[in-house]
Amino acid sequence: MANRESVDNKFGRKALQVQDAQKRILAYAVRLESETVPLEEAQGRYLAENIAATHPVPAFNRSGMDGYAVVAADTENCREGGTVWLKVVDNIPCGSVPSGAIIPGTAARIMTGAQVPDGADAVVMLEATETRELDGIPHVGIHKPIASGRNITPRGLEISEGESVLPAGRKIAAGDIAVLAAFGIPGVPVIRRPKVAVFATGSELLDVKEPLQPGKIRNSNSPMLEALVREAGGEPVMLGAIADDLDLARGKVQMALETYDLVITTGGVSVGDYDIMGDLVREEAGDMLFNKVAMRPGSVTTAAVRGGKVLLAFSGNPGACFVGFQLFARPAIANMQGAAEPFLPEWTVILGADYAKVNNYTRFVRARLEVRDGSVYAHPAVIDESSAMVTIKDSDCLIIVPPEERGLAAGTKVRVIRLP
Amino acid sequence: MANRESVDNKFGRKALQVQDAQKRILAYAVRLESETVPLEEAQGRYLAENIAATHPVPAFNRSGMDGYAVVAADTENCREGGTVWLKVVDNIPCGSVPSGAIIPGTAARIMTGAQVPDGADAVVMLEATETRELDGIPHVGIHKPIASGRNITPRGLEISEGESVLPAGRKIAAGDIAVLAAFGIPGVPVIRRPKVAVFATGSELLDVKEPLQPGKIRNSNSPMLEALVREAGGEPVMLGAIADDLDLARGKVQMALETYDLVITTGGVSVGDYDIMGDLVREEAGDMLFNKVAMRPGSVTTAAVRGGKVLLAFSGNPGACFVGFQLFARPAIANMQGAAEPFLPEWTVILGADYAKVNNYTRFVRARLEVRDGSVYAHPAVIDESSAMVTIKDSDCLIIVPPEERGLAAGTKVRVIRLP
């Protein structure tokens, strides 16, 4: 019975609930400094400050039509099928300023988007008018009455001056870019992107360029993590793959934690002889945040902190590595960018097929969403082993299967985490 | 009645249905050449070729546990609570090859992910074993029977050799990157990104850096289009804004169509005096595809083709410009990249609030999706004028409201186009 006890000690990890593990990470993966980037580089970044409207939108009473700005009351006289003739006293293209106010009996030719002159309170669309000269003066004929306010967007309808339009922590998309441009913000305050070091451990790992060898596999987790880090808004820094060697790993981790904002590793966490990352964390390399999480896949997920920097050590199993990233690394990277909502959104949806597996831990099952006739279904992947790699690409959500469920029948309501 | 007839002629545009307009565009916005990019730059690109598995996955019978590879039949003898002792004849870390086959009475220490030796048909997890030396030879003690196949992922379970794994036209995401890496594809065949020229016309337009002036607005459409083109996978080439001037616009359009793959303009399409893009298209500048679409907003959307290149002229109204991009430019840019599915996905969902507006044309209403208890609701934006800019940022779908509907009640099933 030589090493039964030491083995037990090594296995005696306390499993943390996922939410507790997330909290421990986010306590250290905090908002980085802000910086100003040109508007054209702001897409995908997180706003560092609230943005308020620098002027009302529209900034003036704006014509919604090409036509004639009129005093609506003047058109009352068309009620019996007659035509009202108004003197055209102005021509207001977009970007111009009216030369004066419109008084009863007059009208101004106006373009869509142009400033409506004072006095006018409606715009008659061009197609509903005719023109002629009377005594050498251009007149516009109007055949139908128009209501006051028609075809005019009043100043400030969309936004009042000073109104908050974009909150800090918002991820900037095309519609936000339009808002920032409209308010004259050529330099956008955003949070710096975290530099995220990624490396893999495992003597079985070949580079993508190498031919396959017996017993070995190509390192697919590193390129996957690189893409995931980029998708989350981080700047991946790829540190390659190293063999299962404690000294090599220690050096790499120390350098990475000193140099980058966050360190992600894949492989080297297990209950076996090559629990490199676990051994490292048990050394004085840093404060352990956790080394076991009550989840499948990826219960061996390990996290530590050193010098304020977080180390996230994911399983080498592709499925576990992917799920671990979405649950722990993505929120960390979002939080470091000041995201108002660092976690992926959760939905309650309908399970699209029976799910038979029973777990002692909460399981995050890769699945595909389908919307049919107003309802959302999640179809679990057929192959959902921790080690499975192919089903990652076809998943757009993770079904959260609570522990100890004796299988879930199709039609059951389940919670899912939506993947980006 | 001087110019009534010419006005009518100018207005006498034939409105095309949206789908017909899309078809006309996609007939010219065709797949560009392929190119090979490094794996780390493949994210977001569209695959130019089908990718087949270069080997089975896993490539060998793989251990799913740290533990001992055994002959399952040997463990039958634990049935009465006894311990079976097996001679440990091998130690197989990840990436190593077994030194020989396992025969009854023997076992091999094996790591998660390592190749299971011939003869062994189950792996007993480390936590369920103990070790001791018998006659100076290491033995492993097993306390419970294990079923054949347990904790082993058989060769080819996920994918067989030659099986198609990624089809041409697929947009490459993190999970696809993992697949490409696993099969040793460091250079990925993708379709070239189209270079998309963007410019705005309108004498009212100020640059984002300029102070606001009476009657004018800052050009928010160009930066928005730049972001949208990038999001669609195109390479935006920003050609600035020009005043409402036919000669200026003609020169810009001709240069852009000669130089870039697709040209998008905003502004200068209307029924008024400054229908620059319409005038251009009516000249011999190219073959008109359409100059009116049976839709709101953006019925004046105009498209032409010259030298095989497509010109898309959107309204200067931000809402119309945004909708026009999603309906026409995004599919064009996707099709040029060889996308298997160039159109945005459509869902049938539940209208979340009454929608009162009645239209003679199909209306694309900006809206926000909500999933509640398994059902999907679309909440139309409160301000949905063609000219409205602020609601763009808060929309993640467009509700397709059919023409001539006398208002839609909350709870009605509606079709939506999901925005990215």
Side-chain angles (χ1 to χ4, degrees):
Chain A
M1 293 270 205
N3 58 1
R4 182 86 188 258
E5 198 175 310
S6 71
V7 164
D8 271 355
N9 266 354
K10 195 165 180 178
F11 299 155
R13 300 174 169 189
K14 190 173 172 299
L16 224 58
Q17 292 305 310
V18 169
Q19 290 185 346
D20 296 329
Q22 288 173 329
K23 265 183 219 152
R24 291 199 187 177
I25 293 169
L26 291 204
Y28 292 97
V30 292
R31 193 178 128 142
L32 300 172
E33 320 86 79
S34 65
E35 62 185 10
T36 300
V37 297
L39 182 60
E40 59 269 28
E41 293 168 21
Q43 190 175 14
R45 305 295 297 268
Y46 290 85
L47 264 180
E49 300 167 15
N50 294 315
I51 303 291
T54 53
H55 58 74
V57 175
F60 45 81
N61 293 332
R62 184 179 61 198
S63 175
M65 283 285 169
D66 285 352
Y68 288 86
V70 300
V71 179
D74 276 351
T75 65
E76 282 297 308
N77 299 327
C78 324
R79 231 173 249 304
E80 275 78 49
T83 297
V84 168
W85 290 97
L86 303 170
K87 187 155 70 161
V88 180
V89 297
D90 203 353
N91 183 13
I92 315 165
C94 266
S96 292
V97 182
S99 44
I102 294 301
I103 56 170
T106 68
R109 179 79 179 87
I110 192 166
M111 301 295 302
T112 307
Q115 180 172 339
V116 176
D118 289 345
D121 63 345
V123 172
V124 181
M125 65 192 292
L126 191 62
E127 296 93 320
T129 64
E130 59 181 312
T131 52
R132 68 160 57 146
E133 296 217 336
L134 294 170
D135 303 329
I137 297 166
H139 278 69
V140 60
I142 293 163
H143 315 291
K144 274 202 283 188
I146 191 164
S148 177
R150 197 62 210 244
N151 297 328
I152 294 178
T153 307
R155 173 182 157 93
L157 176 79
E158 283 190 59
I159 310 171
S160 313
E161 183 166 346
E163 194 180 327
S164 171
V165 280
L166 301 173
R170 184 176 168 96
K171 192 171 183 184
I172 300 169
D176 306 285
I177 299 263
V179 170
L180 293 163
F183 289 122
I185 301 169
V188 185
V190 299
I191 305 293
R192 170 167 85 72
R193 293 186 186 283
K195 289 191 193 334
V196 182
V198 174
F199 72 92
T201 73
S203 304
E204 77 280 18
L205 298 179
L206 300 169
D207 185 78
V208 60
K209 293 195 178 75
E210 291 181 86
L212 206 58
Q213 295 167 30
K216 301 201 181 233
I217 59 167
R218 293 196 190 87
N219 175 12
S220 62
N221 281 355
S222 286
M224 178 179 75
L225 286 169
E226 180 180 21
L228 289 170
V229 167
R230 212 180 276 127
E231 189 181 82
E235 266 180 28
V237 181
M238 303 310 292
L239 301 182
I242 57 171
D244 289 309
D245 180 293
L246 190 57
D247 289 332
L248 268 178
R250 187 187 296 111
K252 204 99 170 177
V253 163
Q254 287 178 351
M255 179 281 285
L257 283 172
E258 279 160 21
T259 315
Y260 305 106
D261 300 304
L262 177 69
V263 180
I264 296 176
T265 67
T266 170
V269 286
S270 71
V271 292
D273 297 346
Y274 294 87
D275 179 16
I276 306 281
M277 300 309 299
D279 289 343
L280 258 186
V281 166
R282 270 182 293 275
E283 294 182 357
E284 77 291 14
D287 291 334
M288 192 186 77
L289 297 177
F290 53 84
N291 67 354
K292 187 160 192 176
V293 185
M295 63 183 274
R296 300 273 181 221
S299 64
V300 291
T301 302
T302 294
V305 63
R306 179 183 178 163
K309 309 280 191 66
V310 174
L311 164 71
L312 295 174
F314 296 127
S315 163
N317 273 329
C321 178
F322 177 77
V323 170
F325 182 91
Q326 302 293 2
L327 293 181
F328 303 113
R330 178 175 295 278
I333 294 169
N335 214 46
M336 294 169 94
Q337 291 173 92
E341 187 35 87
F343 294 103
L344 290 169
E346 286 188 20
W347 284 355
T348 298
V349 308
I350 302 160
L351 188 63
D354 293 341
Y355 184 77
K357 216 178 269 180
V358 180
N359 308 285
N360 51 344
Y361 286 149
T362 300
R363 181 172 280 271
F364 295 86
V365 180
R366 281 159 269 173
R368 195 174 44 74
L369 289 170
E370 183 204 11
V371 171
R372 211 165 61 224
D373 200 31
S375 299
V376 200
Y377 302 85
H379 303 285
V382 175
I383 300 180
D384 183 52
E385 306 303 318
S386 165
S387 56
M389 180 259 299
V390 277
T391 48
I392 294 171
K393 68 181 171 59
D394 298 316
S395 307
D396 54 11
C397 73
L398 298 172
I399 304 173
I400 307 174
V401 179
E404 312 296 354
E405 287 283 350
R406 299 181 157 275
L408 294 169
T412 308
K413 298 274 171 70
V414 289
R415 293 289 284 174
V416 298
I417 297 173
R418 264 180 64 208
L419 299 174
Chain B
M1 291 273 208
N3 59 1
R4 181 85 189 258
E5 198 176 309
S6 71
V7 165
D8 271 354
N9 267 353
K10 196 163 181 183
F11 300 155
R13 301 174 167 187
K14 193 173 168 301
L16 225 58
Q17 294 303 311
V18 169
Q19 290 186 346
D20 295 329
Q22 288 173 328
K23 264 184 217 150
R24 290 198 189 177
I25 294 169
L26 292 203
Y28 292 96
V30 293
R31 193 179 127 139
L32 300 172
E33 321 85 79
S34 66
E35 61 184 12
T36 301
V37 295
L39 181 60
E40 59 270 27
E41 294 168 21
Q43 190 176 14
R45 305 295 298 268
Y46 290 84
L47 264 179
E49 300 167 15
N50 294 315
I51 303 291
T54 52
H55 57 74
V57 175
F60 44 81
N61 293 332
R62 183 180 62 198
S63 175
M65 283 286 169
D66 284 352
Y68 288 87
V70 301
V71 178
D74 276 352
T75 65
E76 283 296 309
N77 299 330
C78 324
R79 233 174 247 305
E80 276 79 46
T83 297
V84 167
W85 291 98
L86 303 170
K87 186 154 71 159
V88 179
V89 297
D90 203 353
N91 183 11
I92 315 166
C94 265
S96 292
V97 182
S99 46
I102 294 300
I103 56 169
T106 68
R109 179 80 179 88
I110 192 166
M111 301 295 301
T112 307
Q115 180 170 341
V116 175
D118 288 345
D121 62 346
V123 172
V124 181
M125 64 192 294
L126 191 61
E127 296 93 320
T129 65
E130 59 180 311
T131 51
R132 67 160 58 145
E133 296 218 337
L134 294 170
D135 302 331
I137 296 167
H139 279 68
V140 58
I142 293 165
H143 314 292
K144 275 203 284 190
I146 191 165
S148 176
R150 196 62 210 240
N151 296 329
I152 294 177
T153 307
R155 174 182 157 94
L157 175 79
E158 282 190 61
I159 309 171
S160 315
E161 183 165 347
E163 195 179 327
S164 172
V165 279
L166 300 173
R170 185 177 168 94
K171 192 171 182 184
I172 300 169
D176 306 286
I177 299 263
V179 170
L180 292 163
F183 290 122
I185 302 169
V188 184
V190 298
I191 304 295
R192 171 167 83 72
R193 291 188 188 281
K195 286 190 198 333
V196 182
V198 174
F199 72 92
T201 73
S203 304
E204 78 280 19
L205 298 178
L206 300 169
D207 185 78
V208 61
K209 292 194 179 76
E210 291 182 86
L212 205 58
Q213 295 167 29
K216 303 205 180 224
I217 58 168
R218 293 197 191 85
N219 175 12
S220 62
N221 281 354
S222 285
M224 177 180 76
L225 286 169
E226 180 179 20
L228 289 170
V229 165
R230 212 179 275 128
E231 188 182 83
E235 267 179 28
V237 181
M238 302 310 290
L239 301 181
I242 56 172
D244 289 312
D245 180 293
L246 190 58
D247 288 333
L248 268 178
R250 186 187 296 111
K252 205 99 169 178
V253 164
Q254 288 178 352
M255 179 281 284
L257 284 171
E258 280 160 19
T259 316
Y260 305 106
D261 300 304
L262 177 68
V263 180
I264 296 176
T265 66
T266 169
V269 286
S270 71
V271 292
D273 297 345
Y274 295 86
D275 180 15
I276 307 281
M277 301 309 300
D279 289 343
L280 257 186
V281 166
R282 271 183 292 275
E283 295 179 358
E284 77 290 15
D287 290 334
M288 191 188 77
L289 297 177
F290 53 84
N291 66 353
K292 187 160 192 176
V293 185
M295 63 183 273
R296 299 275 181 219
S299 63
V300 291
T301 303
T302 295
V305 62
R306 177 182 178 164
K309 309 279 191 66
V310 173
L311 164 70
L312 296 175
F314 297 126
S315 164
N317 274 328
C321 178
F322 177 78
V323 169
F325 183 91
Q326 301 294 1
L327 293 180
F328 303 114
R330 177 174 295 278
I333 295 169
N335 214 45
M336 293 170 94
Q337 292 173 91
E341 185 36 85
F343 294 104
L344 290 169
E346 285 187 22
W347 283 355
T348 298
V349 309
I350 302 161
L351 189 62
D354 292 342
Y355 184 78
K357 217 178 270 181
V358 180
N359 308 285
N360 51 344
Y361 288 148
T362 300
R363 181 173 280 271
F364 295 86
V365 179
R366 281 158 269 172
R368 195 174 43 74
L369 290 171
E370 183 205 10
V371 171
R372 209 168 62 225
D373 199 33
S375 298
V376 200
Y377 301 84
H379 303 285
V382 175
I383 300 182
D384 183 52
E385 306 301 317
S386 165
S387 56
M389 180 258 299
V390 276
T391 48
I392 294 172
K393 67 182 171 57
D394 299 314
S395 306
D396 55 11
C397 74
L398 298 172
I399 304 173
I400 307 175
V401 179
E404 311 297 354
E405 288 284 349
R406 299 180 158 275
L408 295 168
T412 309
K413 297 275 171 69
V414 289
R415 294 288 284 174
V416 298
I417 297 173
R418 265 182 61 209
L419 299 175

